[in-house]
Amino acid sequence: MTTDDRIPVALPDGRAVPPRLGDERAMLKGWLDFHRGTLEVKCAGLNDTQVRVAAAEPSALTLLGLVQHMAEVERNWFQRAFGAVGDGTVFGDETGFALTDERGLDEALGVWRREIARGRDVCAGRSLDDVGRIPGDGPFGGAEVSLRWVYLHMIEEYARHNGHADILREHIDGVTGS
């Protein structure tokens, strides 16, 4: 428990509770890690068939696709924007949503965790004011962004997709919450 015994430092599912007090970087990292953990919790206990189930036709969105997508997003915003890797994709598809028969959840989660670790390495020692460039040729491609902006964008990206994951998980087996 924290100094305030009413607030746990971790939830029963193992996710760390983001800090309520502290500096900006600790809070940004805490909330990003919380949302990363939420995606993992949404996939917990499911098999490879279940994580391929789409919830709302005509959408083909799946939990497996979300994990793969977030691996691509992790690489794109931390590694590519700050110069640690080139233009290569993680899964051969720019979005990460495309599924293959060969790749299951364990492999996708392993790759996702690797991309998170690499992104943490890229960010270690950098200031939130350090500047990178948005990768790609899209409407914002090449625009400068601060590391602070990337952290905020990633929190938003995970929060939005965790909402999708809530719906997918409830459709698969009725589990709600988290």
Side-chain angles (χ1 to χ4, degrees):
M1 292 288 176
T2 64
T3 56
D4 181 347
D5 289 339
R6 296 170 296 171
I7 308 294
V9 295
L11 296 176
D13 58 26
R15 287 177 295 160
V17 174
R20 293 172 295 120
L21 303 171
D23 68 19
E24 179 183 19
R25 188 180 193 108
M27 288 189 184
L28 291 171
K29 287 172 66 177
W31 276 106
L32 181 54
D33 285 342
F34 178 81
H35 283 293
R36 287 169 171 154
T38 298
L39 180 59
E40 194 155 8
V41 165
K42 288 298 173 184
C43 297
L46 297 176
N47 63 39
D48 286 340
T49 301
Q50 290 171 307
V51 295
R52 294 172 180 277
V53 172
E57 290 184 11
S59 174
L61 185 65
T62 65
L63 282 171
L64 180 56
L66 281 175
V67 170
Q68 294 178 172
H69 173 67
M70 293 313 297
E72 295 289 354
V73 169
E74 290 278 353
R75 176 176 282 196
N76 192 56
W77 288 107
F78 288 118
Q79 297 175 62
R80 287 179 66 201
F82 287 90
V85 298
D87 290 335
T89 61
V90 181
F91 294 110
D93 166 34
E94 188 174 290
T95 68
F97 288 120
L99 305 182
T100 66
D101 291 339
E102 302 80 35
R103 188 180 317 106
L105 180 61
D106 288 343
E107 180 184 347
L109 284 171
V111 170
W112 172 69
R113 288 180 193 118
R114 182 191 73 210
E115 295 303 317
I116 290 170
R118 287 179 176 169
R120 284 182 176 138
D121 288 345
V122 167
C123 296
R126 289 185 184 263
S127 164
L128 292 175
D129 294 321
D130 281 0
V131 174
R133 292 196 179 275
I134 295 176
D137 297 326
F140 302 108
E144 291 184 333
V145 291
S146 69
L147 183 57
R148 176 182 293 102
W149 187 95
V150 172
Y151 270 111
L152 289 167
H153 172 66
M154 290 294 291
I155 292 166
E156 171 274 326
E157 181 89 7
Y158 271 100
R160 182 167 32 96
H161 286 312
N162 283 338
H164 300 135
D166 283 337
I167 293 167
L168 288 161
R169 182 64 190 250
E170 185 175 8
H171 178 73
I172 292 166
D173 66 0
V175 170
T176 61
S178 301

